Amino acid sequence: MNNIKLKLSLLIVSFFYIFAFFILDEFEILSKIKKIDLFDFFVLFLLFFISIMLRYIRWYLILNSQGVNGEFFFGFLRYSSGFLYTATPGKVGELSRIYFYRNTAVKKENIVSAFIFERSFDLVVVLLLSTFILFNSGTFGYVAISISSFIFSLFFVCFFLEKVKFFSKSDNILIGFIFDVFILIKKNISVKISLISFLLGFFSWIITSYILIYLLYSLELIVDFHLEFISIYPLSMLVGALTFIPGGVGTTETTIVYILNSFNINIGDSILVAVLARFSTIWMATILGLFCSWVVSLKNIDIKNRK
């Protein structure tokens, strides 16, 4: 995605959220934003940053298990740069890390395999956290079967691909690349790495889910805590991802509004929470990605000049 497309995407998203706030104004609840003070914004940023750090530690450990040892700090900058394109269908735009990791020991196949591996565990975690609502809706079985089938197919391919001579001995560059990716994923499939990846992903998503819950409390929209609140954001993200709309823009927010409204929170308040929750997660990640990509670009220019 070039800069023109990125700017166009951000412009479209901006119009979407401006439109949402016009709706909010019609409900006359924009004044409620004043209930969220600077301390609340600091807490939201802190929760977001901890969530990102947990994801990065998982990424770092996955690469290490593949035999890649890189710098922790600059690795974080390169990893976070991928969030610049996180608002893409299935977040595949995060594979732009291939570009940001150039001039390092991390190869394309390392990045693609790590991306697939971490996304697989994210699917499992999102499903688990969504169960509090999915069980009541009667759709848990269908979603569980779909995700389980994907994970099983992935692992099946990893373990049996190298036994197929067509792939292991092919001279085709693309086939060879795909083969290397799945072999690297197989390296990650161990009890230790799998358990650590699951736990880090689980706590990261729990924190992300709590961002929405924190907003509900800050805006004084809820008094009692219900386990279903944990499911709201993960489930909404899952719905948004299934539509393959970039960033799930519109569908994720609509799902959040629909679920909150089912808890007797009016439409206006629900839209406000949805917009603020999305800003505190995916759009804050995009801003972080923009900053980190700028820093990485400066470092790459410095490395090039030294050569």
Side-chain angles (χ1 to χ4, degrees):
M1 183 182 291
N2 55 41
N3 288 331
I4 295 177
K5 290 183 178 179
L6 175 62
K7 291 176 181 177
L8 181 61
S9 300
L10 293 176
L11 184 63
I12 293 173
V13 170
S14 299
F15 274 118
F16 172 80
Y17 282 106
I18 290 172
F19 175 73
F21 273 105
F22 270 117
I23 295 177
L24 290 175
D25 192 44
E26 186 176 319
F27 284 96
E28 297 181 351
I29 62 164
L30 280 177
S31 58
K32 286 194 174 184
I33 295 180
K34 296 178 181 179
K35 292 182 179 180
I36 302 178
D37 55 26
L38 288 177
F39 176 77
D40 291 323
F41 279 112
F42 171 76
V43 171
L44 291 172
F45 176 77
L46 186 62
L47 290 171
F48 160 77
F49 187 75
I50 293 173
S51 174
I52 293 296
M53 280 303 302
L54 290 175
R55 292 173 187 271
Y56 171 63
I57 292 171
R58 177 179 64 178
W59 175 268
Y60 185 80
L61 292 175
I62 290 173
L63 290 182
N64 266 263
S65 71
Q66 296 178 359
V68 179
N69 297 310
E71 296 177 287
F72 187 83
F73 175 71
F74 279 107
F76 172 75
L77 294 177
R78 296 181 192 280
Y79 171 79
S80 298
S81 295
F83 292 126
L84 179 61
Y85 303 111
T86 192
T88 50
K91 296 191 175 183
V92 293
E94 291 183 19
L95 288 175
S96 61
R97 293 190 181 107
I98 292 174
Y99 172 79
F100 296 112
Y101 268 99
R102 72 189 192 282
N103 302 321
T104 70
V106 183
K107 299 179 180 179
K108 295 178 181 178
E109 49 265 38
N110 294 119
I111 293 173
V112 176
S113 59
F115 176 80
I116 295 174
F117 189 75
E118 68 170 6
R119 281 293 167 270
S120 300
F121 278 96
D122 278 343
L123 278 173
V124 174
V125 170
V126 167
L127 175 64
L128 288 175
L129 293 180
S130 300
T131 53
F132 300 114
I133 291 178
L134 287 177
F135 266 128
N136 293 331
S137 66
T139 58
F140 176 79
Y142 299 106
V143 179
I145 290 173
S146 300
I147 293 178
S148 299
S149 298
F150 170 77
I151 301 297
F152 176 79
S153 300
L154 177 65
F155 286 179
F156 179 84
V157 171
C158 289
F159 280 99
F160 291 95
L161 189 65
E162 63 181 333
K163 296 183 180 181
V164 181
K165 293 183 179 179
F166 172 76
F167 291 100
S168 60
K169 296 184 178 181
S170 176
D171 294 326
N172 185 281
I173 296 178
L174 179 59
I175 293 176
F177 176 77
I178 295 173
F179 178 78
D180 291 339
V181 166
F182 280 103
I183 293 303
L184 286 171
I185 293 175
K186 183 182 176 182
K187 278 187 177 182
N188 293 134
I189 302 176
S190 65
V191 175
K192 180 181 178 181
I193 297 299
S194 297
L195 180 60
I196 292 175
S197 296
F198 172 79
L199 290 176
L200 288 173
F202 179 80
F203 287 116
S204 176
W205 274 101
I206 281 287
I207 292 171
T208 302
S209 300
Y210 184 71
I211 287 176
L212 186 142
I213 297 172
Y214 184 85
L215 284 167
L216 290 173
Y217 279 112
S218 297
L219 293 169
E220 300 177 359
L221 297 177
I222 58 173
V223 177
D224 299 321
F225 175 79
H226 298 280
L227 284 175
E228 288 87 348
F229 291 155
I230 297 175
S231 298
I232 296 175
Y233 196 80
L235 179 58
S236 300
M237 285 292 291
L238 183 61
V239 172
L242 291 174
T243 62
F244 282 91
I245 295 174
V249 176
T251 52
T252 300
E253 289 84 356
T254 300
T255 305
I256 292 174
V257 171
Y258 176 80
I259 297 174
L260 289 178
N261 191 237
S262 69
F263 285 100
N264 297 319
I265 298 175
N266 67 58
I267 297 295
D269 290 346
S270 298
I271 294 175
L272 177 59
V273 172
V275 171
L276 292 176
R278 292 285 276 168
F279 174 77
S280 304
T281 51
I282 188 170
W283 301 118
M284 200 173 285
T286 303
I287 294 171
L288 175 65
L290 182 63
F291 172 76
C292 289
S293 64
W294 174 69
V295 177
V296 170
S297 297
L298 292 178
K299 180 175 175 59
N300 287 337
I301 291 173
D302 182 56
I303 293 174
K304 187 177 180 180
N305 290 335
R306 288 181 182 179
K307 292 181 178 179

